[in-house]
Amino acid sequence: MNRFIVVMWLLVLSTPLCAYSQDNAAEWVLSPKDTDKVEIDMRAVFKNRILRTGDKYYVSPHGDTFYVDVFRFYITNISFIGERTATLANDHLFDVADTNTYSFIVKNVPPGVYHSIRFTAGVDSIANVSGANSGDLDPIKGMYWAWNSGYIMAKLEGRSNVCKTVHNAFEFHIGGYMPPHNAARTVTLKIPEYFQVGRQSMPGISMTADVAAWFANNLDLAKTNSIMIPGKEACMMADNYSRMFFIDEVSYTPLNR
Amino acid sequence: MKKYAIAISLGMFILFISSAFDTKDDEIKFVIPKGWPKPVYDFSKNKLTSEGFRLGRKLFYDPILSRDGSTSCANCHTQWSAFTHVDHGLSHGINGLKGKRNSLTLFNLAWNKAFMWDGGVNHLEVQPLAPIANEVEMGNSLENIVKALDTAHGYRARFYLAFGDSAITGQHVLKAIAQFLVMFQSYNSKYDKYTRNEPGGEMTEQELNGLKLFRQHCNSCHAEPLFTNYSFQNTGLSVDTFLNDYGRMKVTGDPKDSLKFRVPSLRNVAMSYPYMHDGRFRSIIQVLDHYTNSVIQSPTLAKEFKTPMVLSVQDKKDIFEFLKTLSDKDFLYDMRLRDWRE
């Protein structure tokens, strides 16, 4: 009986959702005053604290105290899912050491209503085999392996006293595009409210990347402190950090025209 | 009146001089020789231009690419040895540091699927990153190179001419070098003229016998017309205990690739000694002696060597004579590929 009531309620609640998406299926034409841009802001955190490199220490779920020195990762192939799916060729390299990378603008988003954002955490295999790329994928960014071609999709470096290594350093350089050790991960995040593109204010999505996810499954820094080549360990770490993304809020910035 | 005559003759002289030193760069045209497969390199994503080629050439010969400004690509890749480091078993780079492998010859690169002795590099454009980053070769980074080029004399204008953008990027550095490299084309050796029935392709009886033996014993890996099948093979060499180089296994992590190295093209082979991935053999006859006498059996050994190769002393001499017909003077002395110090 209880179960029946739950199902009933689900049906009732889902009706407006279906109706909404049907009503909006008509073509929405962009007027010159509208925008087709979406701003994405990214902050790096450790749990609920803003991540600071160098002198601030953090404690992993395993209980290891550590400092972070380098934290960079790629977000590519961004798409918005809603009444239609808009896939956009966008490559972004986030670098905690460079505040210019904390926000970026996705252009040419078709106007419409969207409920989710999907992207590749990392770099897909096509970009990995297409030679010298431009922009954030330019090998100049220091996220490319010279001796065994391919992108380093994400980097986390730091120090912990439990690491019996030079300067107590741990280094995770995660990459690899060839199956079975492809480290690119698809991430889909639900946007908390209906998200509208194509009116006179530019929508923005604020996201966080939580370094704590790298240390999931009770990662023991004394044992795992160096992943520098494609393989099983790199894929394990890619699984971990593919769960580091969260959406905080959606906001709209009025355009000054 | 006399002044005019002097001015005119001076002008003519300057024109004459400049035309004499013209490097004929207008003819930057990639050739697919008749009967060859389609090149692997995608030219649609990097259109060959005279300006791009010349920029690539300048970069190839410029030691600005190395950390201490001492070493250019050409240090280990000289044209007259088919762009390898002749007489050097292992090549050396900055601070006189020695590398771990014999530098490869460079030509017909547009047909290459993978680069380096272990195939670790997957695209011609990103190939230069390996020597650039290697601590004992150039010890540098693409980021530093772009910074150095940005302030170096004359580069920004050349990048503008080549790519329509004077802001130097890593991508454009690599694409320019690739434009120069794909023009290392070798298809006019005596052997080529022989197969095309052209003048200059008249083979001696010994050379023809060498070709026959080559097709019998070597052709399955060193396949014509490129003289490689681009595979990776274990040719039964002993492991050098100082280098401990297990080849392709390091790249793939697969024990099946242990001791496998690329099958190099044998074009221009007579010009590019020493031989093998660590340059252990100084002559072609030594290589052939290895194949008949000292192949070490192991699980990953190429199937061609499972049964010993049998060649007489005369056979080896004939094969050697044939291999010499693969030297391509049009390529080795191609004026366009020279260091013009522009």
Side-chain angles (χ1 to χ4, degrees), chain A residues 128 132-134 138 148-149 177, chain B residues 120-123 125 129 170-171 251:
Chain A
N128 271 283
N133 294 312
S134 60
D138 192 320
N148 193 1
S149 298
Y177 63 92
Chain B
V121 174
N122 68 13
H123 196 287
E125 289 167 10
L129 293 172
Q171 182 192 37
V251 166

Side-chain angles (χ1 to χ4, degrees), chain A residues 186-213:
Chain A
T186 303
V187 176
T188 309
L189 299 172
K190 201 115 185 98
I191 299 169
E193 50 194 292
Y194 277 104
F195 178 68
Q196 178 182 305
V197 178
R199 280 295 182 248
Q200 290 168 43
S201 52
M202 180 165 71
I205 300 176
S206 297
M207 288 171 69
T208 51
D210 187 350
V211 167

Side-chain angles (χ1 to χ4, degrees), chain A residues 45-50 210:
Chain A
V45 300
F46 185 86
K47 289 181 180 165
N48 49 12
R49 296 155 67 191
I50 288 284
D210 187 350

Side-chain angles (χ1 to χ4, degrees), chain B residues 44 54 112 138 173 176 180 206 209 231 250 259 300 305 326:
Chain B
S44 72
R54 288 170 72 156
N112 248 20
M138 289 172 163
V173 170
F180 181 51
Q206 190 180 14
N209 191 46
S231 66
K250 196 190 167 203
L259 296 169
T300 60
F305 294 122
L326 296 178

Side-chain angles (χ1 to χ4, degrees), chain B residues 33-178:
Chain B
K34 212 171 158 243
W36 285 34
K38 214 178 139 244
V40 175
Y41 188 72
D42 185 355
F43 287 90
S44 72
K45 296 215 174 80
N46 188 18
K47 207 178 157 294
L48 280 188
T49 62
S50 173
E51 291 78 12
F53 169 86
R54 288 170 72 156
L55 173 57
R57 178 170 64 193
K58 189 173 167 61
L59 289 165
F60 186 87
Y61 285 106
D62 196 336
I64 197 170
L65 297 196
S66 63
R67 188 174 60 209
D68 61 0
S70 70
T71 308
S72 74
C73 305
N75 274 49
C76 296
H77 297 285
T78 53
Q79 185 180 4
W80 40 274
S81 61
F83 288 103
T84 182
H85 203 180
V86 82
D87 204 21
H88 282 72
L90 305 172
S91 302
H92 51 81
I94 58 167
N95 303 326
L97 292 165
K98 225 168 185 193
K100 286 191 165 151
R101 285 178 183 159
N102 182 9
S103 73
L104 279 156
T105 52
L106 307 178
F107 49 79
N108 300 338
L109 297 170
W111 282 270
N112 248 20
K113 293 179 194 83
F115 297 81
M116 312 295 277
W117 279 105
D118 54 21
V121 174
N122 68 13
H123 196 287
L124 177 62
E125 289 167 10
V126 292
Q127 208 292 326
L129 293 172
I132 285 169
N134 193 314
E135 273 303 309
V136 301
E137 293 181 53
M138 289 172 163
N140 210 350
S141 70
L142 189 59
E143 193 184 357
N144 284 341
I145 288 171
V146 168
K147 271 187 208 146
L149 293 176
D150 212 34
T151 52
H153 178 72
Y155 267 109
R156 286 182 69 104
R158 285 167 202 279
F159 274 91
Y160 177 75
L161 288 173
F163 298 106
D165 188 356
S166 70
I168 299 172
T169 67
Q171 182 192 37
H172 287 162
V173 170
L174 297 174
K175 286 207 184 268
I177 296 175

